[in-house]
Amino acid sequence: MQYSSGTPPVQRLIEEFSRLPGIGPKSAQRLTYHLIRMPAEQAENLASAILSVKTRITLCSKCFHITENDPCTICSDTTRDQSKICVVEQPLDVMALEKTSTYDGLYHVLHGVISPINGIGPDDLKVKPLLQRLIDNDVTEIIMATNPNLEGEATSMFIHKLIEPSGIKITKPARGLPVGGDLEYADEATLGRAIEGRQNF
Amino acid sequence: MTGNRVYKTKAIVLKQMPIGETNRIITFYTRSFGKVAAVARGVRRPGSKFGGSLEILNHVQASIARGRSLDNVNECVVIESYQNLRKNLTAIAEGIYIAELVDTFGEDRSPNFSLFDMLLETLSNLDRLEHREFWILWFEFRLLHVSGFLPEFVSCVECGNGLDRTDHVFDPIAGGVLCPDCVNNYGTDQSWNVSVSALTVLRFFQRSLNLNLRSDSSDPYVDDLVDVKAFLRTYMRYIAERDLKSTGFLDLVRFKES
C-alpha cells in the first residue's frame, strides 16, 4: 500500500506550500505539521495577513512600487526630491535602497528586466509609464539602478537610449569592491570597474 | 563516489535562471561535455565567491561537481569577458541570440568541439564590433553545417544540375535549392524563393566552410545581407520549429540603431 502523508486538507496545504519559491516538498511538510500544532489564533492571524496582502496591496500608479494607498508613501512625500527618479527592477530593490537612508528622490519599479533568451522585452516592463512620467513631471536626473549583470545592463542601456534625446541627466550607481571584501578575490570585471570609477582620496 | 566526481572544463555561459534564495541554474556550453546545467550556490549575493564570473557570454574555466539531479559549480574563473561587446546594446542582443542558438541546437552532455570553437570565435568577432551582422550569418551557416542541417545551394538538390545566377526556389523538405525544371515535380507548399543576392553569400559560405575567414573576407558582402539574413532566419525557424525568443529584442535594437 502506498504511504499517504495525510488527509486531503493536509495534502492540499503541503501542495500549496511547495508552490512557494525556495520551498521543497520536505520543507512544505515541516511547515504544514508546524501549522497543525500551532494555536488556532496564530493560524488565523497568518491566514488573514496573507489575505490582506492580496486584497489591500496594489501597485502605486506613479512608481509601481507595492503600496496600500495610491500614490505610495514615497511618491506622496513632498519633502523628497521630486526631480530625481531611481529606476529599479523589483519592489525589493526599493526597500534595499531605502534602508541606506542616503537617497531622498523618487523611484520607478520596472517589475522585471529585459531578458531576450526568456522572451521578455521592453513591452513586458513598466518602461512606457516611465517615459510618460518624464513628460508629465520636471525630472532632472534618472538613476539607473538595475542589477549589475548582463540583462540589467542591457535594460539600463535600452532605457538610456530612449531618454538620452531629452537631455535629462542619466547616472548609475558606482560599481566596485564590496565593503568588507578582499581585493585578491574580486573578479576582473568588478576590479576593472572599481579602478575605472576610482575617486579622489 | 568515484574519483572523477569533479570535472574541469572550458565553457561559455549561455543563460541563467534564479532558483531558491541566492542560487542560479547556469547553462554552460562546455568544450568537453557539450551543454551542461549546474547550480551556482550563493551567486546572487554581492560577496559571492563567483563574483561576476558567471555572467552570460563569459568564457570561463569551470570546475563542476556531479550531483544527484543537477551538478554544482565549484569554482569559476573568467578567461575572457568580452568587455567591448558588453558596452554595446546591439552587440549584447546579438551575443544573446547566438547563445540561444547554441542552447537550441547544442546537445546535452554531447561534446561538439567545432560548435564550441565557432561560438568562441564569433564572440571574439562580435567583441571587435565590426561587421557583426556578417559574423552572425557566418555563425548561423556553420551551425547548420555542424548540426547536420546544411542544405544544398550550389546545384539543384534533385537533379544535380548547375544553377543559373538568378533567383531560385528553396525547399526545406528537399533539402536545398531546386532548378526550374524540378520545382514542378518536387516543390512542396513549404518552399519559398531565395534571391540571387542571398544565394551569392550562401555559396560563398559553402565554399569557405573549411577556411578561416579573416576580418576582411566580409568586405564584398557586408552591404547586401538583407536577403541572406531573412533566408537564414526563416530556415532556422523551420528547423527549430519555433521562433527563437531573442529575435524580437534583437530586431528592435537593430531597428533603433539604424
Side-chain angles (χ1 to χ4, degrees), chain B residues 141-154:
Chain B
F141 192 90
R142 286 186 298 166
L143 179 65
L144 293 174
H145 177 61
V146 298
S147 33
F149 291 110
L150 188 66
E152 173 59 48
F153 298 110
V154 176

Side-chain angles (χ1 to χ4, degrees), chain B residues 1-256:
Chain B
M1 291 289 168
T2 55
N4 57 2
R5 201 176 81 90
V6 176
Y7 55 98
K8 291 176 185 170
T9 177
K10 287 187 172 150
I12 306 278
V13 181
L14 297 181
K15 63 175 182 182
Q16 306 179 332
M17 199 177 71
I19 178 173
E21 190 96 326
T22 58
N23 310 332
R24 281 202 180 109
I25 296 179
I26 311 288
T27 305
F28 295 101
Y29 196 76
T30 67
R31 189 163 203 289
S32 319
F33 305 94
K35 200 167 78 173
V36 169
V39 179
R41 296 190 187 277
V43 66
R44 291 160 74 190
R45 287 184 210 278
S48 156
K49 63 176 177 180
F50 296 114
S53 62
L54 291 168
E55 276 295 286
I56 298 170
L57 305 181
N58 268 2
H59 177 207
V60 297
Q61 172 76 41
S63 164
I64 302 171
R66 286 186 208 283
R68 244 177 286 171
S69 52
L70 274 170
D71 292 359
N72 289 292
V73 187
N74 277 357
E75 271 180 49
C76 188
V77 181
V78 177
I79 298 172
E80 174 61 59
S81 55
Y82 308 107
Q83 287 301 312
N84 295 329
L85 180 154
R86 282 169 208 281
K87 289 175 188 153
N88 182 309
L89 182 61
T90 314
I92 291 177
E94 287 164 342
I96 289 176
Y97 171 64
I98 295 290
E100 191 186 359
L101 282 178
V102 174
D103 187 39
T104 307
F105 284 81
E107 286 182 49
D108 287 335
R109 302 211 173 265
S110 168
N112 186 333
F113 300 132
S114 311
L115 179 54
F116 181 86
D117 294 344
M118 274 163 49
L119 176 59
L120 262 192
E121 186 192 310
T122 306
L123 288 174
S124 300
N125 285 334
L126 292 182
D127 195 50
R128 278 195 287 276
L129 301 179
E130 278 182 354
H131 299 167
R132 294 193 314 265
E133 282 193 21
F134 178 86
W135 294 119
I136 285 173
L137 297 172
W138 175 228
F139 176 83
E140 288 176 329
F141 192 90
R142 286 186 298 166
L143 179 65
L144 293 174
H145 177 61
V146 298
S147 33
F149 291 110
L150 188 66
E152 173 59 48
F153 298 110
V154 176
S155 47
C156 172
V157 70
E158 287 297 342
C159 66
N161 288 337
L163 297 165
D164 300 334
R165 280 186 63 82
T166 172
D167 296 359
H168 283 286
V169 170
F170 174 84
D171 192 276
I173 297 169
V177 177
L178 296 168
C179 68
D181 293 338
C182 290
V183 170
N184 297 330
N185 298 330
Y186 301 104
T188 67
D189 56 357
Q190 302 275 351
S191 50
W192 68 86
N193 278 318
V194 201
S195 72
V196 65
S197 82
L199 283 171
T200 307
V201 183
L202 292 165
R203 285 170 187 160
F204 165 70
F205 282 160
Q206 197 155 1
R207 286 194 306 273
S208 311
L209 270 176
N210 297 321
L211 307 172
N212 280 325
L213 290 191
R214 294 197 317 272
S215 56
D216 58 352
S217 314
S218 58
D219 289 350
Y221 305 101
V222 283
D223 294 328
D224 199 12
L225 297 176
V226 178
D227 289 353
V228 68
K229 208 162 71 180
F231 170 81
L232 284 170
R233 176 76 63 88
T234 314
Y235 189 55
M236 289 284 178
R237 190 192 299 130
Y238 174 83
I239 296 190
E241 295 180 344
R242 63 176 172 87
D243 276 320
L244 289 159
K245 290 178 192 159
S246 56
T247 51
F249 184 63
L250 175 62
D251 293 344
L252 178 68
V253 292
R254 275 182 173 168
F255 175 73
K256 285 199 181 288

